[in-house]
Amino acid sequence: MTKLNHTGGMPSLCEVFNPHFRVGAAVNPITLNTQSELLKRHFNSLTAENEMKFVSLQPVEGLFRFDDADRMVDFAAANGMGVRGHTLVWHNQTPIWMFENPDGGAVDRDTLLARMQTHIETVVKRYKGIVYAWDVVNEAVSDKSGEQLRPSKWLEIAGEDFIAKAFMYAHEADPNALLFYNDYNESDPEKREKIYTLVKSLKDKGVPIHGVGLQAHWNLKRPSVDEIRQAIERYASLGLKLHITEMDVSMFEFEDRRTDLKEPTEAMLAEQAERYGQFFRLFTEYSEHIDSVTFWGAADDYTWLDHFPVRGRKNWPLLFDAKHEPKPSFGEVVRAAEASREES
Ligand code: GLA
């Protein structure tokens, strides 16, 4: 059994979950500094919030910029953490040159796939042996009822096997990296089935895919614990690994546009703690399938939800507050780990 570090009274998140899965956080060049102590103490995996996306790494054809990504990787290595790579192929944050000829017209399929291969090979080989898992394709499934794949330049030019090709190129570049399909609204029953269908068809074709990434951008009300359980079971039935890749629990439902709150209410904090406790009990219950849980941030001083979907509205979706102190949610998550230790 792992020894728990209770020095200072506060257990370390990644230590308490060490028997089950890694605990990660998304970082950027600023939070790597401002949150470095918190990161070192509680997390054993890092993901670049933006610095490994296509447009950050290759803004201009053939011009690769690795400085920010390298700094994160060095920080991880220096502190004995793993790195989840995010992301190789996505419809967003991809530069327009990728899809165009010098004359401004659309490239043909072969050119697009050759560019994709060059990018994937260059990036994946650079971080070979350091990045333990890659989100190879992000968000290719449609949210629209009745539509399987999201319309995108990738789909339009290369056809639907751009997805399979991306996995093949990544596998060639690093045969040991675990390769994931990653998406949001992953617990919505209709989208869940579309993701399942896509991933199953890849597996059936022998495409090297090893896991499904559940982004887990959740909120106080949705999705229900039952929907999440069903999603976990459905994806796990494919015999693949599951990673929770971008977890946060927003204080607001997506449609809620209120802007009056300067601080979360006690009731909100309590409700969030209850939700986090339920989620982590579920994760430990299914930890045979789940081997990494990453938060989309480390503490409430910085979260992308401060701007989305309501500009300038503060949100408090993480386990630590803006001063890096543990919130009630942290306590419930640690209790979930303790409960699972008592049961085993
Ligand atoms: C998606 C992407 C992430 C990030 C979030 C918003 O979930 O996968 O990389 O951009 O949106 O921050």
Side-chain angles (χ1 to χ4, degrees):
M1 195 166 38
T2 346
K3 202 167 152 281
L4 295 186
N5 176 7
H6 280 284
T7 46
M10 198 207 309
S12 146
L13 260 191
C14 61
E15 277 182 36
V16 295
F17 286 106
N18 198 40
H20 299 296
F21 38 72
R22 286 178 190 268
V23 182
V27 296
N28 62 44
I30 295 172
T31 59
L32 209 49
N33 286 324
T34 56
Q35 300 180 334
S36 74
E37 291 313 310
L38 190 71
L39 292 167
K40 286 189 230 171
R41 166 120 208 227
H42 290 285
F43 300 90
N44 56 9
S45 177
L46 295 183
T47 301
E49 186 187 15
N50 290 300
E51 294 67 28
M52 286 189 175
K53 290 174 180 171
F54 205 120
V55 74
S56 308
L57 292 181
Q58 198 187 172
V60 174
E61 185 164 21
L63 186 81
F64 284 87
R65 294 195 169 158
F66 291 113
D67 301 17
D68 286 337
D70 283 357
R71 257 197 300 280
M72 184 204 70
V73 166
D74 291 347
F75 179 96
N79 293 290
M81 302 162 157
V83 174
R84 273 199 100 254
H86 174 83
T87 178
L88 298 171
V89 172
W90 190 25
H91 64 279
N92 261 333
Q93 292 179 256
T94 305
I96 197 71
W97 68 257
M98 186 70 188
F99 307 104
E100 286 182 352
N101 284 318
D103 68 8
V107 284
D108 57 32
R109 173 182 147 89
D110 288 349
T111 309
L112 182 61
L113 290 177
R115 287 176 179 175
M116 181 207 260
Q117 182 169 20
T118 302
H119 182 82
I120 291 180
E121 210 179 272
T122 309
V123 172
V124 172
K125 282 193 173 156
R126 184 177 186 90
Y127 299 117
K128 201 171 175 163
I130 298 168
V131 168
Y132 63 93
W134 273 104
D135 290 330
V136 177
V137 176
N138 198 33
E139 305 178 352
V141 165
S142 175
D143 291 300
K144 237 203 227 153
S145 187
E147 181 176 74
Q148 171 67 11
L149 294 181
R150 169 197 301 279
S152 71
K153 291 272 179 207
W154 293 108
L155 184 62
E156 197 181 301
I157 300 171
E160 64 180 59
D161 74 331
F162 80 88
I163 300 172
K165 292 278 190 220
F167 280 92
M168 283 153 58
Y169 300 151
H171 189 61
E172 275 164 28
D174 183 357
N176 293 322
L178 296 172
L179 305 182
F180 279 71
Y181 174 74
N182 188 48
D183 216 327
Y184 66 94
N185 284 349
E186 72 301 310
S187 302
D188 170 81
E190 189 183 346
K191 191 157 175 198
R192 176 194 77 210
E193 286 310 299
K194 293 188 212 174
I195 295 172
Y196 174 88
T197 302
L198 168 67
V199 174
K200 181 166 190 313
S201 81
L202 293 171
K203 240 198 116 195
D204 291 347
K205 280 187 268 191
V207 173
I209 177 167
H210 311 112
V212 180
L214 294 80
Q215 289 191 5
H217 291 295
W218 297 336
N219 64 50
L220 294 186
K221 307 288 178 206
R222 286 186 294 190
S224 70
V225 175
D226 228 45
E227 284 170 337
I228 299 168
R229 180 189 293 279
Q230 284 165 24
I232 290 174
E233 290 194 354
R234 190 70 167 143
Y235 300 139
S237 75
L238 290 165
L240 297 174
K241 289 181 189 296
L242 307 185
H243 284 183
I244 308 298
T245 56
E246 306 185 13
M247 185 173 201
D248 41 32
V249 179
S250 169
M251 291 296 193
F252 307 101
E253 286 196 81
F254 192 78
E255 299 73 23
D256 183 348
R257 302 291 147 122
R258 74 183 286 190
T259 54
D260 57 320
L261 280 176
K262 297 282 166 265
E263 293 295 332
T265 64
E266 292 294 319
M268 283 172 148
L269 288 168
E271 199 174 349
Q272 187 185 49
E274 192 188 341
R275 292 277 278 165
Y276 263 118
Q278 291 166 340
F279 300 148
F280 275 78
R281 284 197 290 279
L282 207 54
F283 299 160
T284 54
E285 191 184 331
Y286 288 94
S287 64
E288 170 198 340
H289 305 287
I290 299 174
D291 52 24
S292 177
V293 175
T294 292
F295 292 87
W296 208 242
D300 288 345
D301 51 322
Y302 175 78
T303 161
W304 71 293
L305 289 171
D306 285 349
H307 309 287
F308 183 81
V310 177
R311 265 191 103 76
R313 177 182 66 187
K314 180 94 194 105
N315 207 322
W316 304 273
L318 298 161
L319 301 186
F320 299 92
D321 69 16
K323 295 190 173 122
H324 303 178
E325 295 296 329
K327 291 160 64 182
S329 292
F330 173 85
E332 281 306 307
V333 164
V334 169
R335 259 189 287 286
E338 282 164 359
S340 89
R341 283 152 53 84
E342 279 154 21
E343 277 160 25
S344 62

